Amino acid sequence: MESHRQGGLTEQIVITELKKRNISVSTPVGDNERYDLVLEKPDGDLLRAQIKTGRVKDGVVRFKGVSQHTNSSGHVYKQYGDDVDCFLVHSNETEETYFVDSEEVGTSMHLRIDPPAQKTSQINWAEEYHLEQQWPPTDHNKRDSTVTAVIDALESVEGTVYIDPTREGDQVLLFVDADDETHRIGAETGWIVNGRVRFTPSEAAEYHLIYCDELDDLLSVHSDEFNESISFRVDSENTREGTNPVDKYTFENNWPPSIVGTSPADPTPELTRFISRLEDKQMAYNRVEYDGKREVEVYCGGSYWRC
């Protein structure tokens, strides 16, 4: 069935399920809103709902947490963010409708039907998200979208994920790989500043997985790659030699994390960080001349400095 026809059918099924439970439903006029329905809670509060079709694969109901449109460059995906309050997911295979709070959903989400092959403490059991179980919605435990994205990625590779019981409140996970070796994983939130993805690394982590709302990919970096901090250049056209282009650090390209960049072998890390600050316009200057070795000349107004 064509995707738009399937979407229309799913919407009618979901509305029917809501009406069967005497839930008040409204639809927006036109196609300008990012939500499909407005639901009224018993207390009168309104919720903006996005409808998704769930598909069963490998024992889980899968659905996307992004919208898709096409332009001259191809498909463009965008997360819903604060534009919706919840997702209503219907699966033809399970014949069930699921209610999921938007704060639990990253770029995608899996609702598990069958027990996993390997034991893990982080499972979104589908039966716990049944519409009749979740309505009316209350302030239940919400998993941070960064942790959700990291766990989803780790569950896609061979190994087992655990919450680190020794670091309550920290976003540090334990990952036992196929060789039965345990690694501390920092689930980090990234943000883009001046064309670079930046994050605050967890000191206890061996590997860092960085989730950034503005990117489609999860980034992966080894703690041995840097001293106190590291950032990743988004604009590949302006990437100079020795910087860290974001595409080399995606989870797909760099898991498990290897030493990708030049930071550990950099004989002048302070100079490298200084140049990065200049390039990111964190310091005022007119022109920078760098000889590629150990010296840099900074021209600002009528003066310059040699470092």
Side-chain angles (χ1 to χ4, degrees):
M1 184 181 296
E2 296 178 2
S3 59
H4 70 279
R5 293 181 181 273
Q6 180 62 67
L9 177 60
T10 298
E11 181 171 327
Q12 293 305 313
I13 293 173
V14 168
I15 291 176
T16 300
E17 292 298 315
L18 294 169
K19 286 295 187 181
K20 285 165 57 176
R21 293 165 175 79
N22 295 317
I23 299 173
S24 178
V25 183
S26 302
T27 57
V29 177
D31 299 322
N32 296 324
E33 308 299 338
R34 301 198 71 203
Y35 53 88
D36 296 317
L37 303 176
V38 177
L39 314 181
E40 183 176 352
K41 295 169 57 178
D43 61 6
D45 286 347
L46 301 179
L47 297 175
R48 299 161 300 171
Q50 170 63 217
I51 296 175
K52 290 292 182 181
T53 300
R55 294 176 171 81
V56 176
K57 182 179 179 181
D58 298 330
V60 298
V61 177
R62 302 166 182 255
F63 69 94
K64 298 290 187 181
V66 295
S67 61
Q68 174 186 317
H69 71 273
T70 305
N71 59 21
S72 59
S73 301
H75 295 310
V76 178
Y77 301 90
K78 183 180 179 182
Q79 286 189 260
Y80 289 95
D82 294 332
D83 292 333
V84 302
D85 302 304
C86 61
F87 289 86
L88 292 169
V89 183
H90 182 80
S91 168
N92 291 329
E93 293 95 330
T94 64
E95 298 183 341
E96 291 285 354
T97 299
Y98 307 94
F99 180 99
V100 185
D101 192 293
S102 63
E103 293 191 14
E104 295 192 54
V105 182
T107 56
S108 64
M109 188 171 183
H110 299 167
L111 305 177
R112 180 158 289 282
I113 305 169
D114 302 327
Q118 297 184 4
K119 185 178 179 181
T120 174
S121 61
Q122 295 297 317
I123 297 179
N124 298 315
W125 290 108
E127 61 183 11
E128 296 178 0
Y129 290 87
H130 285 170
L131 179 58
E132 58 267 25
Q133 294 278 58
Q134 291 291 326
W135 189 268
T138 58
D139 293 332
H140 51 281
N141 293 330
K142 300 175 182 178
R143 183 185 298 162
D144 183 277
S145 58
T146 295
V147 177
T148 298
V150 169
I151 290 176
D152 284 348
L154 291 174
E155 287 185 338
S156 71
V157 297
E158 189 174 359
T160 308
V161 190
Y162 302 94
I163 295 292
D164 187 348
T166 67
R167 305 189 65 83
E168 185 175 357
D170 287 358
Q171 296 193 150
V172 177
L173 309 174
L174 297 180
F175 180 72
V176 182
D177 63 20
D179 296 325
D180 208 30
E181 295 185 1
T182 301
H183 307 276
R184 291 186 182 274
I185 311 293
E188 323 285 14
T189 299
W191 60 93
I192 296 178
V193 180
N194 295 326
R196 301 185 74 93
V197 178
R198 304 180 183 277
F199 71 102
T200 302
S202 303
E203 294 182 1
E206 175 187 359
Y207 300 159
H208 303 270
L209 296 182
I210 303 103
Y211 173 74
C212 180
D213 276 336
E214 298 158 276
L215 295 178
D216 290 333
D217 289 311
L218 192 72
L219 304 183
S220 171
V221 64
H222 198 293
S223 60
D224 288 344
E225 182 101 12
F226 59 95
N227 293 321
E228 296 180 357
S229 65
I230 187 173
S231 61
F232 312 96
R233 174 66 66 182
V234 177
D235 187 357
S236 58
E237 294 182 359
N238 295 325
T239 300
R240 68 176 177 84
E241 185 178 357
T243 58
N244 304 307
V246 71
D247 58 342
K248 291 187 178 180
Y249 289 86
T250 62
F251 185 82
E252 180 181 3
N253 293 334
N254 193 37
W255 180 263
S258 59
I259 307 300
V260 176
T262 59
S263 298
D266 189 350
T268 57
E270 293 82 5
L271 178 58
T272 300
R273 286 195 292 271
F274 178 68
I275 294 171
S276 294
R277 291 183 65 192
L278 290 172
E279 291 182 336
D280 292 343
K281 298 181 180 179
Q282 296 181 26
M283 299 177 67
Y285 70 97
N286 299 118
R287 188 171 84 256
V288 177
E289 295 182 2
Y290 177 46
D291 65 4
K293 298 178 181 178
R294 301 183 64 89
E295 292 186 352
V296 60
E297 292 183 352
V298 182
Y299 293 81
C300 183
S303 304
Y304 77 94
W305 292 266
R306 181 186 298 273
C307 304

